[in-house]
Amino acid sequence: MTNMSGEVELGASKQRVKSFVTNPDEFSSCLPNVGEFEKRNQEEFSAKFKVDLPADMRKGLLANLSNVGIKMNFKSSINGDSVSIRGEGRSMGMKITLDLKMDLSESSGKTVINWSAEVNAGLIMKLLGEESFKKISDQIIGELVGCVKSKLETT
């Protein structure tokens, strides 16, 4: 299991941020390399996406892999100024779960998100190694946060 956390400030109102991260159409647009997307309702969606593996990780069993496919079901929920997104799915035939919590606060028209994520990838983490898994996770989070920031600050 890997735990991550951080903080990001966005030039958008708290309501707009909350609306974006809980809207399946908008949030899924920031997942990396989305190949399939199915909106089930306003809180739930499934997506199949690919995560690129850096060249330095392609050795041993992973020598011929340039990316890893992930298929997940996501569900968001709102509790006051907190947003939670739960993801459950599979990658390389193995179970993976994600619990993302975002606490939102607003000041002067900007929103600060204090976020924490818990990723449980069991055998995938063992296959990639903890350091490599953390590197990939940091890359995904960085791309996701960058995309959300870019989309919210240009609308």
Side-chain angles (χ1 to χ4, degrees):
M1 187 172 335
T2 299
N3 293 301
M4 297 169 274
S5 61
E7 181 179 285
V8 64
E9 183 178 89
L10 303 171
S13 71
K14 183 169 50 175
Q15 187 55 43
R16 177 65 185 119
V17 172
K18 195 183 292 188
S19 174
F20 185 94
V21 298
T22 58
N23 181 316
D25 296 307
E26 291 188 299
F27 184 76
S28 67
S29 72
C30 285
L31 293 173
N33 307 311
V34 174
E36 294 177 24
F37 167 77
E38 178 189 350
K39 180 177 174 178
R40 297 203 173 115
N41 56 47
Q42 285 304 110
E43 293 88 29
E44 298 180 58
F45 71 95
S46 64
K48 190 174 185 179
F49 55 100
K50 292 183 179 179
V51 175
D52 294 326
L53 292 178
D56 63 333
M57 290 183 201
R58 297 183 218 151
K59 45 191 154 191
L61 294 171
L62 304 175
N64 297 318
L65 285 178
S66 61
N67 58 54
V68 175
I70 301 172
K71 181 166 180 157
M72 294 189 81
N73 298 311
F74 294 92
K75 182 174 184 175
S76 65
S77 61
I78 300 171
N79 183 4
D81 289 334
S82 292
V83 175
S84 297
I85 298 175
R86 169 95 174 147
E88 295 182 356
R90 300 189 82 67
S91 178
M92 300 188 307
M94 296 173 255
K95 184 177 180 180
I96 185 168
T97 61
L98 163 72
D99 285 299
L100 174 61
K101 183 176 182 200
M102 296 170 273
D103 293 318
L104 311 176
S105 60
E106 186 174 17
S107 176
S108 303
K110 294 187 177 195
T111 301
V112 174
I113 302 175
N114 283 299
W115 62 270
S116 61
E118 182 178 283
V119 180
N120 188 349
L123 293 174
I124 296 169
M125 195 163 97
K126 289 183 182 189
L127 179 65
L128 293 173
E130 190 171 340
E131 185 178 316
S132 294
F133 184 79
K134 178 153 179 29
K135 186 176 179 180
I136 292 169
S137 297
D138 288 344
Q139 172 191 325
I140 295 168
I141 293 291
E143 289 173 9
L144 184 65
V145 168
C147 177
V148 169
K149 187 172 178 71
S150 171
K151 288 189 178 209
L152 285 172
E153 291 183 347
T154 57
T155 58

